[in-house]
Amino acid sequence: MNLFRSVLFWLVLAVLGALLAQLLLQDPGYLLVRFRGSDYQTTVAAGLGLLLAFMFGVALLWNLLRLPFVAFRRHRKRRARAQLVDGLNAHQRGEYQRAEQLLTQAAAHGEGGSLARIHAARAAAARGDDAAASAHMDALSERDPTNQALLRAEHALARSNPADALAVLDAPRVQPLPPRGLQLRAEALAASGRSFEAYGLLGALRQQQALPTTRLDEIQAQWAAQSLQQAGNASELADRWDALPQGVQTTAPVVAAYATRAAAMGWNEAATRSLEQALDRQWDEDLAELYGQLDVARLEERRAQAEGWLQAHPSSPALLLAVARLAKAQGHLPQAERALHRAIAQGAGSAAWEILGDIAVQSGDEARARLAYVNALRSQRGATLLDLPGRDLRQQIADTAAIEERDEHGIPRLRGG
């Protein structure tokens, strides 16, 4: 389109020139110039020619005088561009001192000034010079306030200071925030203990594609769990739980956060019921272990539920540990000990040995308790475990035996199914 316009302009100019030339040839006219008592006579055509020649000479002289300055400016631009490229490459390679020097020089020459300042500040921060990084950020104040705010927010979050990050991102002059700014603001809110507000920004982050979908799904579950843990009362907890999408409510960390917070508020039935529903829907070892750890009542009902799950998951170390904890809480120490031995055989590890040591202490068997606690430490370190007296070969074989798993209808479950 630009080429067409240029051709059209020159064609029109040529036509006008031809018409003017034809007019002047038909009647060259008469031109009289009187200057300081002298008369100069010529035709209009010759006068126009002389005027054009004079203008061309002036233009040529002006360009010749400007030539050194133009060449110098071009040289500075080429040099600044090279410094910008070399500085970015040095920053990528981790040569932060050299990168900062080159980028500072590029910014001073005006070539990619904002970009050069941004990466110079990051280079200074990477080598631990906060004063230099702050100076580079200050240089962006008038030229690019939005990028200055993003840099300061990054710097504050890297130093675990989310309050400062929020202060610069909430400034009126940087609104509306770009996608990177929304991401930083959400991270600052979550780091400030305001995960519920951070969760509310997920819609905007998804709409602007500020992060990959997989990463957004991860932080959605993370912020949802934190939001539940930060609920101030039962009503607030219930409202936040009900507002979560079904897919988020079924995520194990979110269920665990809700159950833990509900138990802390004395909402015992809601805490245990949420875990029961989640485990009935999809088995999860962490939730099964949490079911036995909750400091809530309903011991008899919870133990009956846990023992019922054993039919479908007889070799689950977390479930066996939960059964042992519940039996111990009821004072049924022999049943708890049997469950612990099988849990250890199935890989429950140090937690089971600790509880076994506590039971031995309650029973007054200090030697057995010492062995159990030593094995708890050895289990954490991956060392060889010591034999616990009082367990014959038949009992050891029963602990390690693979029991046939069955579903809720009593039908044998296929391995891996």
Side-chain angles (χ1 to χ4, degrees):
M1 190 65 182
N2 291 333
L3 177 62
F4 174 75
R5 289 177 180 176
S6 298
V7 171
L8 183 62
F9 170 77
W10 287 110
L11 284 174
V12 171
L13 192 63
V15 170
L16 292 176
L19 291 174
L20 180 62
Q22 184 178 5
L23 180 64
L24 291 175
L25 288 174
Q26 291 176 353
D27 184 6
Y30 176 74
L31 179 65
L32 173 64
V33 179
R34 179 168 293 165
F35 182 71
R36 292 187 176 183
S38 300
D39 293 342
Y40 301 93
Q41 301 178 17
T42 184
T43 63
V44 173
L48 288 175
L50 290 172
L51 178 62
L52 291 174
F54 175 75
M55 293 175 62
F56 177 77
V58 170
L60 181 62
L61 179 62
W62 173 251
N63 284 324
L64 288 174
L65 292 174
R66 289 177 62 243
L67 187 61
F69 302 99
V70 172
F72 179 69
R73 282 200 301 271
R74 288 178 180 174
H75 172 71
R76 286 188 61 187
K77 284 186 177 182
R78 285 196 298 269
R79 182 180 178 186
R81 193 177 297 115
Q83 289 170 338
L84 178 62
V85 173
D86 291 343
L88 292 175
N89 285 331
H91 185 275
Q92 181 65 23
R93 292 192 298 268
E95 300 170 359
Y96 299 120
Q97 181 75 37
R98 179 169 177 266
E100 185 185 356
Q101 292 175 351
L102 289 170
L103 291 167
T104 302
Q105 293 169 1
H109 295 154
E111 184 69 22
S114 294
L115 180 63
R117 283 292 180 189
I118 289 168
H119 286 280
R122 286 175 175 163
R127 61 185 183 83
D129 192 342
D130 290 348
S134 182
H136 290 301
M137 294 178 202
D138 290 339
L140 287 169
S141 179
E142 297 300 328
R143 179 186 296 178
D144 197 345
T146 299
N147 273 324
Q148 183 201 38
L150 298 182
L151 269 178
R152 289 201 179 280
E154 286 179 3
H155 192 72
L157 285 174
R159 281 148 184 77
S160 302
N161 195 350
D164 285 354
L166 287 173
V168 296
L169 291 172
D170 289 341
R173 68 173 187 162
V174 299
Q175 306 304 318
L177 289 173
R180 175 63 176 160
L182 286 175
Q183 177 196 343
L184 290 171
R185 188 171 187 276
E187 291 175 359
L189 287 170
S192 301
R194 298 159 62 183
S195 297
F196 182 69
E197 295 176 60
Y199 186 87
L201 292 176
L202 282 170
L205 291 174
R206 287 187 185 278
Q207 184 178 9
Q208 298 193 23
Q209 299 181 346
L211 289 169
T213 303
T214 53
R215 176 57 183 157
L216 285 170
D217 291 340
E218 290 175 4
I219 62 177
Q220 181 178 23
Q222 177 185 339
W223 290 345
Q226 292 174 355
S227 172
L228 294 171
Q229 291 169 347
Q230 294 162 6
N233 52 61
S235 176
E236 193 174 82
L237 177 64
D239 290 341
R240 293 183 180 184
W241 173 256
D242 292 337
L244 295 178
Q246 183 66 29
V248 179
Q249 279 188 347
T250 58
T251 306
V254 176
V255 175
Y258 174 74
T260 304
R261 190 60 180 152
M265 293 179 176
W267 204 358
N268 297 343
E269 187 172 354
T272 55
R273 187 62 53 84
S274 62
L275 289 173
E276 290 166 359
Q277 291 174 350
L279 287 168
D280 285 338
R281 184 169 46 247
Q282 183 175 0
W283 187 255
D284 184 270
E285 288 289 294
D286 292 334
L287 293 184
E289 185 171 359
L290 179 60
Y291 189 73
Q293 288 177 324
L294 286 180
D295 186 17
V296 298
R298 304 182 69 234
L299 293 176
E300 188 63 38
E301 295 89 338
R302 288 163 62 201
R303 184 181 169 194
Q305 176 67 67
E307 289 177 344
W309 283 328
L310 278 175
Q311 180 180 358
H313 308 280
S315 300
S316 167
L319 182 55
L320 289 164
L321 200 57
V323 170
R325 283 194 172 104
L326 293 169
K328 178 177 176 291
Q330 289 181 289
H332 301 158
L333 301 186
Q335 293 90 329
E337 188 170 351
R338 283 197 299 270
L340 286 169
H341 282 296
R342 178 153 178 79
I344 290 169
Q346 300 302 323
S350 61
W353 282 111
E354 272 191 61
I355 301 174
L356 199 59
D358 295 341
I359 291 176
V361 170
Q362 285 184 254
S363 303
D365 191 343
E366 294 184 4
R368 191 178 182 84
R370 281 195 296 270
L371 278 174
Y373 290 141
V374 167
N375 277 342
L377 292 174
R378 285 174 169 265
S379 178
Q380 289 179 345
R381 299 170 182 172
T384 304
L385 300 178
L386 302 177
D387 291 331
L388 202 64
R391 301 288 294 172
D392 58 30
L393 182 60
R394 181 179 62 81
Q395 291 172 317
Q396 295 177 20
I397 293 174
D399 292 338
T400 57
I403 301 175
E404 185 179 66
E405 296 187 6
R406 296 177 178 268
D407 60 19
E408 62 274 14
H409 305 294
I411 300 174
R413 192 190 303 271
L414 294 175
R415 291 290 178 185

